[in-house]
Amino acid sequence: MNLGIKSRIIASYVGLLIVFIAVTVLLAEDFISAYTAMAIAAVSTVIMFYLMLIRLIKPLEEITHTAYEMAGGILEREIMVQADDEIDELATSINFMARQLRRNMVMIGEERNRAKAVLDSMADGVIALDSESRVIMLNPALEKKFKIDRGSSIGKKLIEVIRNYELDQLLRQVLKSKEPQCREIKVLMPNPAVLKVHVTPLKAGDSNSSGVVALLRDITERRQLEKMRADFVANVSHELRTPLTSINGFLETLLDGAMDDKETARRFLGIVKKETDRLSKLVDDLLKLSKLENNKTILEKQPVNMAKIIGQVTEMFTAQAEAKDIEITTKVPENVPPVMGEKDLLIQVLVNLVDNAIKYTPEKGKVTITAEAEQQAVKVSVRDTGTGIPQESLPRVFERFYRVDKARSREVGGTGLGLAIVKHVIELHDGEIEVESSPGGTVFTFKLPLGQGCCAC
Ligand SMILES: Nc1ncnc2c1ncn2[C@@H]1O[C@H](COP(=O)(O)OP(=O)(O)O)[C@@H](O)[C@H]1O
Ligand SMILES: [Mg+2]
């Protein structure tokens, strides 16, 4: 029967009392001497103390010690008490509490790891600030974007970590107003970029400890693409308007009476014809370019014999070259292996390069086309003895509508799209193209990889 702690203590005292009474009686009847009485009393007291120590004090000490350890975070130990009273119940409930705490800690740890994994794998930058505008958290994407170190940034003011006044002001505003905000900001350091920043107040239970969290998305590329698209539309409109205005002007003059003079009429109609040819070439080039830029373009590759297509293109330009007394020479060794590519597109590349070489070379000049086998590639060069391209223009000649001398290009029927088409085709074939130029001439060189299975053909 479990009588509890109180009954044990009472029983001990009653036991001691009985012993003392018995000793007193035995002493009064002279059955024992005073020394024996004292010895019996002392031994019974020690026994009682020992029993109290074992059954009460020791277990309580053990429980207190373990409870202290739990408070310090050590939850693995369990209290080992064997008793069948309240002390045992106390030990069991503390052990149960420790197990429960252990489970909760594991759950909190897992939750924290999951949140960390999400933040670490995000492509957008995330930064959190406390109410004093001090950094409390930032993710690796933000570290990389601003080239900062997470460890040394925590606890610092935002402006000390990211030196951007606009960003600092935006986060401070949200800290003050406690209203979410979204804004586009430009940063110059470490690299110029446009960021879309979403800032949300952090609402903690205790209003003093609230802060803000900001999500920074890099939209530089999107903005550049939008600008390129807008520039392209503006360029196309301009390119279309110029010949149309000219056609319109000449037709109006013809209608106003110039038609009566046969010679003038013929000359004007000749100009109108030239302008319409240019318009249709422009539309043609635009269509080609848009087809090439369409990401879905899948090349119908086949083994292409470069020697053969160089021969074909040279023939196509014989008349044009003769008209300017330009000599076209080809140097293509027999052993040039075929490349894997789309034949019509590769012909287009050579046509555009040879066309430029002839157009921008004065009379009696020379155009040389060479091809040679390189390691896993074929290198083709188109060299001329023409006007050359100024050094500052070299990086831009592959841009759409870029022309060194606009008037000259227009005069010879250029659209400004030839080299853009060339570059696209070469890139679609995983090749490379480069240009070198001096006042004595220009050389365009492209390399095309041989591709798998090409050499068997
Ligand atoms: N072989 C060359 N020699 C000199 N300038 C060249 C040559 N090839 C291209 N260019 C320059 O590059 C510009 C862009 O060439 P391209 O894209 O073919 O347009 P275009 O229709 O004007 O020929 C030309 O307008 C010209 O100024
Ligand atoms: Mg051209």
Side-chain angles (χ1 to χ4, degrees):
M1 197 176 63
N2 186 357
L3 295 172
I5 287 181
K6 270 183 280 173
S7 55
R8 270 183 203 194
I9 295 170
I10 293 168
S12 317
Y13 284 120
V14 170
L16 264 184
L17 189 67
I18 292 169
V19 171
F20 287 155
I21 292 172
V23 169
T24 316
V25 171
L26 290 173
L27 187 65
E29 295 293 325
D30 276 342
F31 278 120
I32 52 171
S33 66
Y35 288 116
T36 318
M38 276 195 305
I40 292 171
V43 168
S44 346
T45 310
V46 169
I47 290 171
M48 277 306 161
F49 174 73
Y50 179 72
L51 285 175
M52 290 273 268
L53 188 75
I54 295 289
R55 306 293 299 264
L56 208 64
I57 298 168
K58 278 280 176 201
L60 279 177
E61 269 181 3
E62 162 90 8
I63 289 172
T64 316
H65 180 69
T66 317
Y68 266 121
E69 279 189 350
M70 283 178 187
I74 303 169
L75 298 172
E76 285 71 29
R77 246 177 65 134
E78 294 220 343
I79 304 166
M80 306 296 282
V81 172
Q82 288 192 346
D84 50 4
D85 50 23
E86 286 95 330
I87 293 179
D88 188 47
E89 270 174 42
L90 179 66
T92 314
S93 45
I94 288 181
N95 283 344
F96 177 71
M97 189 182 77
R99 252 172 264 146
Q100 211 55 27
L101 269 173
R102 251 190 331 249
R103 203 168 307 149
N104 288 350
M105 295 288 273
V106 170
M107 268 166 59
I108 291 171
E110 277 173 6
E111 206 60 47
R112 200 179 44 204
N113 287 346
R114 229 172 286 152
K116 188 174 175 307
V118 170
L119 277 173
D120 287 0
S121 59
M122 270 173 76
D124 296 334
V126 179
I127 188 164
L129 305 184
D130 65 8
S131 54
E132 299 290 308
S133 192
R134 286 180 204 284
V135 178
I136 47 177
M137 190 278 301
L138 52 90
N139 73 341
L142 194 107
E143 263 183 295
K144 210 169 135 201
K145 172 108 229 113
F146 289 97
K147 294 197 168 63
I148 50 178
D149 171 53
R150 188 173 359 187
S152 59
S153 306
I154 304 289
K156 280 190 187 161
K157 291 261 184 197
L158 175 67
I159 196 75
E160 294 170 41
V161 178
I162 302 172
R163 298 204 172 270
N164 187 290
Y165 180 72
E166 223 181 323
L167 182 70
D168 187 59
Q169 282 306 103
L170 175 64
L171 270 73
R172 275 175 191 277
Q173 256 175 35
V174 177
L175 262 177
K176 213 163 139 195
S177 67
K178 306 229 181 311
E179 289 296 327
Q181 279 204 45
C182 175
R183 197 183 298 166
E184 250 180 65
I185 61 166
K186 282 195 178 123
V187 292
L188 297 171
M189 302 265 280
N191 298 312
V194 185
L195 303 175
K196 186 152 198 152
V197 188
H198 295 262
V199 195
T200 320
L202 274 176
K203 288 196 183 84
D206 159 18
S207 65
N208 292 332
S209 61
S210 59
V212 285
V213 61
L215 183 106
L216 293 85
R217 174 162 298 170
D218 192 335
I219 54 164
T220 320
E221 216 168 293
R222 204 203 305 168
R223 285 283 172 270
Q224 271 169 358
L225 278 176
E226 282 169 3
K227 188 174 178 309
M228 265 169 69
R229 205 170 301 147
D231 287 353
F232 182 64
V233 172
N235 273 326
V236 170
S237 317
H238 177 75
E239 294 296 328
L240 289 172
R241 209 177 45 218
T242 319
L244 279 175
T245 315
S246 154
I247 292 170
N248 203 25
F250 283 108
L251 289 180
E252 263 177 17
T253 322
L254 281 169
L255 286 173
D256 283 350
M259 216 158 46
D260 301 335
D261 178 4
K262 234 178 164 181
E263 199 42 49
T264 315
R266 180 178 289 277
R267 197 159 55 82
F268 281 11
L269 285 174
I271 298 170
V272 169
K273 166 85 173 72
K274 204 174 158 195
E275 293 292 3
T276 44
D277 282 352
R278 220 161 68 77
L279 263 181
S280 80
K281 171 124 187 6
L282 182 68
V283 173
D284 236 43
D285 279 358
L286 279 171
L287 282 175
K288 274 181 209 150
L289 202 59
S290 100
K291 225 164 132 191
L292 290 170
E293 281 184 347
N294 186 347
N295 288 337
K296 290 185 209 104
T297 310
I298 298 167
L299 298 183
E300 285 172 20
K301 285 190 183 176
Q302 57 184 62
V304 180
N305 184 334
M306 287 312 278
K308 223 171 172 177
I309 65 168
I310 289 173
Q312 271 178 35
V313 173
T314 316
E315 229 175 274
M316 277 161 69
F317 282 95
T318 322
Q320 206 175 315
E322 269 173 12
K324 285 180 84 178
D325 202 6
I326 287 173
E327 185 192 341
I328 305 183
T329 321
T330 56
K331 286 183 197 158
V332 187
E334 293 275 297
N335 62 351
V336 173
V339 294
M340 287 301 283
E342 197 170 311
K343 194 175 161 197
D344 290 345
L345 290 180
L346 295 179
I347 291 181
Q348 183 72 60
V349 166
L350 277 169
V351 164
N352 289 7
L353 293 179
V354 177
D355 179 48
N356 280 350
I358 296 175
K359 270 193 218 156
Y360 302 109
T361 298
E363 289 189 359
K364 296 194 184 357
K366 270 186 177 176
V367 173
T368 316
I369 310 168
T370 55
E372 57 184 290
E374 275 206 342
Q375 225 188 3
Q376 296 302 311
V378 168
K379 187 167 103 176
V380 180
S381 304
V382 178
R383 183 184 297 271
D384 62 53
T385 54
T387 49
I389 303 169
Q391 289 302 310
E392 66 274 14
S393 296
L394 282 179
R396 299 197 60 192
V397 284
F398 295 104
E399 282 176 24
R400 294 178 292 195
F401 295 116
Y402 182 80
R403 280 163 285 188
V404 178
D405 181 347
K406 264 200 164 158
R408 166 108 186 86
S409 160
R410 191 160 288 148
E411 197 186 301
V412 291
T415 60
L417 296 174
L419 290 178
I421 293 174
V422 167
K423 185 151 179 141
H424 263 89
V425 174
I426 298 293
E427 279 174 359
L428 273 177
H429 284 80
D430 300 318
E432 292 163 17
I433 181 154
E434 53 187 48
V435 52
E436 282 169 53
S437 192
S438 64
T442 307
V443 50
F444 281 91
T445 308
F446 63 86
K447 276 188 206 168
L448 291 170
L450 291 182
Q452 276 168 357
C454 64
C455 305
C457 311

